[in-house]
C-alpha cells in the first residue's frame, strides 16, 4: 500500500497541525496506493478507525473538516452525471451518501500549504543490517574476521583458559557497572551509595494548586457543572477536572453557556446508555452550535445576567454567587436575586 506515500506526506505536513489531524492524514496516506494516490474500499473506513483509534466516523469527519479548513483536502467529492461535483443546499461539496463509498486522495505538494521536505545527507551512513559482511572504509566487520582468522574468545574459554574478555573487566570497568554490581573477587562495600531525591515540598505543591484554581474561576465552574449533572451523568472530582478543559473549549467555540440548556443537550436520550462517562465525552467533543438565545423564561427564579458583573465570568450566567460588583464583594444591583427580591417587595 502507501508506505512510501506516507513517508513523503509525513515530511511535508505543516508543523502547526494537531496530533489528531496528523494521525488521520498519515493513516489515509498509508492506506492509499502509491501510484494513484487514491484510497477507497468497502472496509476503508473500518481500517481507518482501527489505525487512528477514533470511536466513530463522525469524529474522523470532524478532523477531516479541520484539515480542509487548513487547505489540506483529502476527500474526493462525488460527481454527478455532468461530471461536476455535487453540492448540498448550502453549497458545500458532498463526499458521501447512501450507496456511495468515500474516496480519498493525497494531494501533490503544490496542492496544499505544506512545509519544504528536509534533505538528510546520510548516504554514507549505512545500517549494519543491510549487509553484515560488507567492507566499510577498507575495514572488515569484526564478526567476519572472527569466522575466518581467529576463534571466538568465548570458544577458547571452554578449553580451560579464562576468556580474554573477562580479563578486561578487572582493569577497565564501566563506572556505572562498578557502582551498581559487585564483580566476583571484589570486596563487598560496607555502605551503598545513595543519592538525595529531588522532593517538592507538599506545602509548595498544594499552594501552587490552590493558586491555579483561584486564578481560573471558569475552570472551577466547569468542574462544578460536571459534578452536578443529573443521574446517571455526574462525574467524580478527578474525572470532572480532567474533562473540564474539553468542556470549556467546546462551549467557547460553539457559543454555549453553563446553563440548563447545556445540561439538557448533554443528557438527552439517556435511555439505553450503559457508559455515561464515555458518551458524555463524545457529546462534548461533538457539541453542535448553540441555538439562538431568547429572553429569560417567565417564572425563572434567577434574573437575567447583566453581563458586566463578576469580572465577565461566564459562570455568573447560571450561578448567583458570582454576580458581584467589580472589585468588591457586594451583590450586583442590576441582576443579583437579592436586589430583585427587594424591588418586588
Amino acid at each position: 500500500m502507501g508506505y512510501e506515500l506516507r513517508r513523503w506526506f509525513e515530511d511535508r505536513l505543516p508543523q502547526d497541525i494537531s496530533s489528531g489531524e496528523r494521525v488521520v492524514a498519515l493513516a489515509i496516506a498509508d492506506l492509499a496506493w502509491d501510484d494513484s494516490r487514491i484510497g477507497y474500499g468497502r472496509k476503508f473506513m473500518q481500517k481507518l478507525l482501527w489505525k487512528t483509534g477514533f470511536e466513530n466516523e463522525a469524529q474522523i469527519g470532524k478532523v477531516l473538516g479541520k484539515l480542509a479548513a487548513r487547505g489540506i483536502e483529502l476527500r474526493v467529492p462525488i460527481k454527478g452525471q455532468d461530471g461536476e461535483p455535487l453540492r448540498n443546499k448550502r453549497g458545500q461539496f458532498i463526499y458521501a451518501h447512501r450507496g456511495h463509498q468515500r474516496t480519498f486522495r493525497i494531494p501533490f505538494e503544490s496542492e496544499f500549504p505544506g512545509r519544504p521536505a528536509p534533505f538528510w545527507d546520510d548516504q554514507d551512513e549505512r545500517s549494519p543490517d543491510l549487509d553484515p559482511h560488507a567492507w566499510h572504509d577498507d575495514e572488515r566487520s569484526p564478526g567476519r574476521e572472527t569466522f575466518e582468522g581467529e576463534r571466538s574468545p568465548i570458544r577458547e574459554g571452554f578449553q580451560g583458559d579464562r576468556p580474554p574478555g573477562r580479563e578486561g573487566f578487572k582493569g577497565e570497568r564501566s563506572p556505572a557497572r562498578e557502582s551498581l554490581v559487585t564483580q566476583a573477587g571484589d570486596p563487598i562495600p560496607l555502605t551503598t551509595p545513595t543519592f538525595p531525591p529531588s522532593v517538592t515540598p507538599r506545602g509548595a505543591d498544594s499552594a501552587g494548586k490552590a493558586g491555579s484554581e483561584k486564578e481560573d474561576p471558569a475552570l472551577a465552574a466547569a468542574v462544578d457543572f460536571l459534578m452536578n449533572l443529573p443521574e446517571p451523568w455526574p462525574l467524580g472530582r478527578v474525572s470532572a477536572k480532567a474533562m473540564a478543559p474539553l468542556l470549556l473549549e467546546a462551549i467557547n467555540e460553539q457559543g454555549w453557556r453553563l446553563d440548563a440548556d447545556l445540561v439538557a443537550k448533554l443528557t438527552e436520550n439517556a435511555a439505553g446508555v450503559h457508559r455515561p462517562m464515555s458518551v458524555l465525552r463524545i457529546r462534548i467533543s461533538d457539541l453542535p452550535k448553540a441555538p439562538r438565545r431568547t429572553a429569560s423564561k417567565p417564572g425563572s427564579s434567577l434574573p437575567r445576567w447583566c453581563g458586566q458583573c463578576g469580572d465577565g465570568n461566564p459562570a455568573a450566567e447560571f450561578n448567583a454567587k458570582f454576580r458581584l460588583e467589580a472589585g468588591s464583594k457586594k451583590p450586583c444591583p442590576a441582576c443579583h436575586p437579592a436586589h430583585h427580591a427587594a424591588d418586588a417587595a
Side-chain angles (χ1 to χ4, degrees):
M1 299 296 284
Y3 175 68
E4 294 295 334
L5 182 60
R6 182 190 188 279
R7 296 182 61 184
W8 178 90
F9 202 32
E10 183 179 27
D11 289 338
R12 290 162 176 81
L13 281 175
Q15 188 174 4
D16 58 345
I17 65 175
S18 66
S19 58
E21 296 168 0
R22 186 176 299 274
V23 167
V24 172
L26 294 182
I28 293 176
D30 188 49
L31 292 172
W33 282 274
D34 284 327
D35 50 355
S36 64
R37 312 172 78 91
I38 299 295
Y40 62 90
R42 183 169 55 89
K43 296 184 178 180
F44 189 93
M45 293 304 299
Q46 183 178 353
K47 295 177 182 178
L48 187 59
L49 287 171
W50 181 268
K51 284 180 173 291
T52 58
F54 285 93
E55 297 184 1
N56 50 57
E57 295 185 14
Q59 295 179 354
I60 292 184
K62 186 176 181 180
V63 175
L64 290 172
K66 292 182 178 180
L67 285 171
R70 295 179 179 271
I72 309 174
E73 181 58 80
L74 305 179
R75 303 165 295 182
V76 178
I78 301 175
K79 294 184 179 180
Q81 297 181 354
D82 57 353
E84 296 295 328
L86 298 179
R87 298 176 181 267
N88 57 16
K89 296 180 179 179
R90 293 179 293 180
Q92 299 172 337
F93 288 119
I94 299 176
Y95 301 100
H97 62 74
R98 186 182 300 274
H100 191 286
Q101 62 186 0
R102 298 189 182 186
T103 304
F104 298 90
R105 174 181 174 273
I106 304 302
F108 289 97
E109 188 171 5
S110 59
E111 297 175 342
F112 69 98
R115 56 178 175 173
F119 175 72
W120 309 112
D121 190 10
D122 56 355
Q123 297 297 326
D124 298 332
E125 300 179 5
R126 295 181 58 192
S127 175
D129 59 357
L130 294 178
D131 187 358
H133 304 306
W135 291 64
H136 301 282
D137 300 332
D138 299 331
E139 294 184 3
R140 301 185 67 183
S141 170
R144 177 81 174 183
E145 294 180 2
T146 301
F147 287 116
E148 294 187 358
E150 300 179 3
R151 299 179 65 186
S152 172
I154 300 178
R155 189 178 180 89
E156 293 182 3
F158 291 141
Q159 299 178 1
D161 297 334
R162 196 174 177 185
R166 183 76 181 102
E167 295 288 340
F169 290 147
K170 294 296 291 183
E172 299 177 0
R173 284 192 295 182
S174 170
R177 178 163 182 168
E178 189 171 350
S179 60
L180 299 178
V181 182
T182 304
Q183 302 297 322
D186 291 345
I188 299 177
L190 298 179
T191 58
T192 302
T194 58
F195 302 94
S198 57
V199 180
T200 303
R202 292 187 61 183
D205 187 28
S206 60
K209 291 183 179 179
S212 61
E213 292 180 357
K214 291 181 180 179
E215 292 173 0
D216 196 351
L219 186 63
V223 172
D224 183 70
F225 177 85
L226 293 171
M227 293 176 63
N228 291 281
L229 291 174
E231 292 292 340
W233 304 95
L235 302 181
R237 181 178 60 88
V238 177
S239 301
K241 287 186 176 181
M243 200 178 296
L246 178 64
L247 177 62
L248 288 179
E249 180 183 359
I251 64 176
N252 289 334
E253 289 183 0
Q254 304 295 69
W256 288 86
R257 297 176 181 174
L258 299 175
D259 53 9
D261 293 337
L262 181 59
V263 173
K265 183 62 179 178
L266 294 179
T267 60
E268 63 183 0
N269 302 328
V273 175
H274 301 288
R275 300 177 62 186
M277 182 175 176
S278 301
V279 175
L280 182 62
R281 181 181 293 274
I282 294 175
R283 291 183 178 182
I284 293 175
S285 302
D286 200 26
L287 191 66
K289 287 287 186 180
R292 184 170 299 178
R293 293 283 169 177
T294 58
S296 300
K297 297 180 181 179
S300 176
S301 59
L302 190 63
R304 187 177 182 85
W305 183 39
C306 67
Q308 304 297 327
C309 61
D311 295 331
N313 185 0
E317 173 71 15
F318 71 98
N319 197 330
K321 71 178 183 179
F322 295 99
R323 298 188 178 186
L324 304 176
E325 291 184 349
S328 68
K329 296 184 178 180
K330 296 180 180 180
C332 177
C335 62
H336 197 277
H339 288 280
H340 278 254
D343 295 341

